[in-house]
Amino acid sequence: DTGVSQDPRHKITKRGQNVTFRCDPISEHNRLYWYRQTLGQGPEFLTYFQNEAQLEKSRLLSDRFSAERPKGSFSTLEIQRTEQGDSAMYLCASSFRAGKEYEQYFGPGTRLTVT
Amino acid sequence: SQKIEQNSEALNIQEGKTATLTCNYTNYSPAYLQWYRQDPGRGPVFLLLIRENEKEKRKERLKVTFDTTLKQSLFHITASQPADSATYLCALRILSSGSARQLTFGSGTQLTVLP
């Protein structure tokens, strides 16, 4: 499977715990995006990487959230001191400059439940 | 404030008919608009992109129109099939200063095609 993969697919955690999600983009894609989606809503942009550089962060991304893409390949999204309001689907997407850069390919998402 | 609105109600249509979904936006000047399909528990899948200087785009049974004066896009599925049942999301990309790569999504319209 050469699509975007995310791990884990589901995560249940207690309030106050830290969680980390991983995203593996399509191998030749140099752009990577994180979104958050709650039930009945469209995805909300969180952050964007071009190669290893984090170029944009949404105002939605509080200080408890941090994302990395250390070698310009996979990315991690960490949420510290989780709150119930963090419960959502976290989606990763990737795209490739030139040609079809505007098409974003989404992974299956990680569903986070904070109890 | 900036807003994207899609059909507020779920849309049910009979197989074989044409489904028409609406995406209206306010206070944006998008460089382009995209439509995605999302099935339950999965990430969105890119369908079509239309640029601000294009009026219409087609792909197989899909057609998208873009009216920047009305600030509206219409998404049509002709000869609809039960397999077309899904949530359809419109997304805008707004070019602003800096590297604005984020997409801003509407909340989606749930389409059900009845056999």
Side-chain angles (χ1 to χ4, degrees), chain A residues 37 42 48 56 102-103 106-107, chain B residues 32 34 38 93 99-101:
Chain A
Q37 186 176 25
Y48 156 68
E56 281 189 60
Y102 303 120
E103 297 179 24
F106 282 82
Chain B
Y32 59 76
Q34 299 184 0
Q38 187 171 27
R93 180 174 167 193
S99 59
R101 300 294 176 184

Side-chain angles (χ1 to χ4, degrees), chain A residues 93-105:
Chain A
S94 67
S95 68
F96 179 61
R97 179 174 173 76
K100 297 183 177 180
E101 74 159 297
Y102 303 120
E103 297 179 24
Q104 293 189 16
Y105 294 80

